[in-house]
Amino acid sequence: MSDTGTLPGWLKPANRLVKLLHRLGVPLGTIHIITIPGRTTGEPRSTPVSPLTVDGRRYVIAGLADSSWARNARAAGHGRLTRGRAHEDVDLVEVTDPAVRRRVMTAFPTEVPHGVQFFIRLGIVEGAEPAQFAAAADEVAVFETRPAAHRPAAAQP
């Protein structure tokens, strides 16, 4: 599949609403907010994500491997996951092992069913079948989230 699809026009306003609700302490389903320092400005940049757990490890997926938040995650290597008023500082490690990427993508349609439509809309998959997601593992960015290593307060998002 190609990445020629586009995200729906309502997504940016919806993301703003989701971020606002989280700031008010209202968590929504599996959605968390990931905040990562911008790669050029260092200013915090936030976007909704849905972490999933596979083989006891937690991951987040960027449907567009070259999205701003994925590039920021690669550059910073850390961020903050927020759900409602709870937050957790995490290290972000991009997964390069193809077998692990396939396992994570295979689990996605079951673990995060509300996210399937975004992958379909982007043209990454045609349906919600786990095999289609596994086949698309090389087209997305997969990051493992780990408890943050100690770093100076100035380096926190």
Side-chain angles (χ1 to χ4, degrees), residues 3-137:
D3 59 350
T4 58
T6 58
L7 290 170
W10 53 261
L11 187 60
K12 282 189 181 186
N15 282 349
R16 284 193 294 272
L17 177 62
V18 167
K19 290 188 275 188
L20 172 65
L21 290 171
H22 275 265
R23 276 194 302 274
L24 294 173
V26 181
L28 302 168
T30 64
I31 299 172
H32 289 58
I33 305 300
I34 191 160
T35 303
I36 303 168
R39 62 194 172 283
T40 55
T41 66
E43 292 296 316
R45 305 291 182 203
S46 299
T47 192
V49 295
S50 289
L52 65 152
T53 301
V54 177
D55 299 333
R57 295 180 179 214
R58 192 168 54 171
Y59 301 90
V60 291
I61 300 170
L64 296 173
D66 201 33
S67 67
S68 289
W69 86 258
R71 289 182 299 191
N72 289 341
R74 286 183 193 105
H78 63 91
R80 174 172 282 176
L81 276 174
T82 304
R83 184 167 190 275
R85 290 197 175 122
H87 66 271
E88 173 188 10
D89 292 325
V90 294
D91 288 329
L92 298 163
V93 179
E94 188 161 15
V95 177
T96 57
D97 182 333
V100 174
R101 292 169 64 87
R102 281 192 301 275
R103 280 197 305 276
V104 172
M105 285 296 287
T106 298
F108 186 86
T110 303
E111 297 293 318
V112 189
H114 63 273
V116 168
Q117 283 303 115
F118 293 105
F119 285 87
I120 293 171
R121 185 83 183 246
L122 288 170
I124 295 171
V125 296
E126 292 179 353
E129 294 77 24
Q132 287 187 30
F133 276 79

